[in-house]
Amino acid sequence: MRNKIIFSHIPKTAGSSILSLLNSNYPKTRRIGCYPSLTEKHLGDMTKMPFLNVIATHTEFGCHEAFGWPAQYFSFLRHPVDQVVSNFFHLQRKGFHHEMPPNMSLEQFLKSEDGNNLQTVYFSGINQTDARFEEDPQRVLEIAKSNMERLYFFIGITERYSESVFMLSKLLKWRILKIEHKNVDKTRPAVISREIRQLIEKKCHLDMQLYEHGKKTFDKTFSSFRTEFSQMKRSLPQYVVHSNRIKNILLSRWDSIRSKYMRATTTMRKQT
């Protein structure tokens, strides 16, 4: 069976922009977004999608076990200070969920699950409430690194978004003419104080180490694409997203025809 692609969408790491690209490159019959997180309903919907290729979800590593399918992951990392601050103001603007007080401060946020080494949680598949986070945090980090190296076919870096999308498009054979960063939070402060920055770096020390490890992995992968990327930048100074609408329409129709054929074949077999 062909591996499904899982986009493990860590909040505020350029995920909305990647979702836009997924929507442009895969018809509805071949993609599903499981938001705000993976549910039983989503799993039920997937059983009705025989041509499903891509799953996007705010769910950490390990969710493929619920699908029962072989899968390969990709995700993005962002500098922990920027990810935490952006996520805090995003949740504040949207309204904190029921577990958070409405007037939560950034310092309080850093003690919550959403503000405490969230990127390590996503890559390790181990929640902060797990005893291992307190008893052996470095072991949790090693698990996250190991998962990244063995089971993720691509790691993007938010701060190097253009290069990341270019490489991803090559790996997945996407057609892209513009690299556009969406859902940029304009409510967060432009300057973060030294005290806040140091506080986040201390509290999210696992994420800091994972981010540095991810950047090294990224640089190693990008070395094979550097020349081609430079040529692309010179030839396309103004990027524009290519939606692939015609391809998606044809794929949708083809999937529909195949579904009807499969149902008809099943009916004939039952009759005989």
Side-chain angles (χ1 to χ4, degrees), residues 72-90:
Q72 53 184 344
Y73 288 76
F74 80 91
S75 191
F76 274 65
L77 284 168
R78 186 178 183 183
H79 191 287
V81 173
D82 294 318
Q83 189 275 329
V84 167
V85 172
S86 185
N87 197 27
F88 171 75
F89 283 99
H90 171 74

Side-chain angles (χ1 to χ4, degrees), residues 35-61:
Y35 292 93
S37 61
L38 182 65
T39 65
E40 289 295 330
K41 182 182 183 304
H42 291 132
L43 294 175
D45 291 340
M46 290 180 203
T47 63
K48 305 170 187 176
M49 302 176 70
F51 311 115
L52 180 64
N53 292 136
V54 180
I55 302 154
T57 179
H58 276 316
T59 308
E60 59 268 17
F61 172 81

Side-chain angles (χ1 to χ4, degrees), residues 11-14 78-93 106 158-159 181 183-193 196-197 200:
K12 306 311 295 181
T13 58
R78 186 178 183 183
H79 191 287
V81 173
D82 294 318
Q83 189 275 329
V84 167
V85 172
S86 185
N87 197 27
F88 171 75
F89 283 99
H90 171 74
L91 290 172
Q92 187 181 63
R93 186 177 72 252
L106 181 55
T158 303
E159 289 80 6
H181 201 163
N183 196 27
V184 178
D185 194 344
K186 298 179 181 179
T187 62
R188 57 164 287 177
V191 179
I192 303 168
S193 70
I196 290 294
R197 179 173 291 276
I200 296 173

Side-chain angles (χ1 to χ4, degrees), residues 200-218:
I200 296 173
E201 289 175 351
K202 181 179 179 180
K203 190 68 176 179
C204 297
H205 62 100
L206 298 180
D207 276 7
M208 291 294 297
Q209 296 175 70
L210 185 66
Y211 176 72
E212 292 302 322
H213 181 78
K215 283 199 302 181
K216 292 178 182 177
T217 300
F218 179 90

Side-chain angles (χ1 to χ4, degrees), residues 40-199:
E40 289 295 330
K41 182 182 183 304
H42 291 132
L43 294 175
D45 291 340
M46 290 180 203
T47 63
K48 305 170 187 176
M49 302 176 70
F51 311 115
L52 180 64
N53 292 136
V54 180
I55 302 154
T57 179
H58 276 316
T59 308
E60 59 268 17
F61 172 81
C63 61
H64 66 282
E65 296 174 359
F67 308 146
W69 301 319
Q72 53 184 344
Y73 288 76
F74 80 91
S75 191
F76 274 65
L77 284 168
R78 186 178 183 183
H79 191 287
V81 173
D82 294 318
Q83 189 275 329
V84 167
V85 172
S86 185
N87 197 27
F88 171 75
F89 283 99
H90 171 74
L91 290 172
Q92 187 181 63
R93 186 177 72 252
K94 296 290 185 181
F96 291 121
H97 53 69
H98 67 280
E99 296 177 358
M100 296 182 174
N103 298 317
M104 174 180 278
S105 67
L106 181 55
E107 288 78 3
Q108 291 173 315
F109 180 68
L110 285 170
K111 299 177 182 178
S112 72
E113 293 183 10
D114 291 281
N116 179 3
N117 291 302
L118 187 61
Q119 297 181 83
T120 302
V121 168
Y122 267 72
F123 277 92
S124 67
I126 301 173
N127 195 275
Q128 297 98 325
T129 57
D130 191 301
R132 286 174 290 180
F133 241 94
E134 183 174 351
E135 296 171 0
D136 195 356
Q138 287 303 128
R139 175 56 183 157
V140 174
L141 176 63
E142 291 307 314
I143 291 172
K145 290 180 179 179
S146 176
N147 289 342
M148 179 188 293
E149 293 169 358
R150 295 185 302 110
L151 300 165
Y152 284 71
F153 74 90
F154 178 76
I155 304 298
I157 301 295
T158 303
E159 289 80 6
R160 298 179 66 181
Y161 182 75
S162 295
E163 296 101 313
S164 297
V165 171
F166 179 78
M167 285 195 292
L168 190 58
S169 70
K170 291 296 180 181
L171 292 171
L172 294 177
K173 296 179 172 58
W174 292 350
R175 294 186 63 192
I176 296 177
L177 300 177
K178 176 180 178 186
I179 301 172
E180 185 178 32
H181 201 163
K182 297 178 178 291
N183 196 27
V184 178
D185 194 344
K186 298 179 181 179
T187 62
R188 57 164 287 177
V191 179
I192 303 168
S193 70
R194 179 183 299 178
E195 291 76 14
I196 290 294
R197 179 173 291 276
Q198 291 176 344
L199 179 63

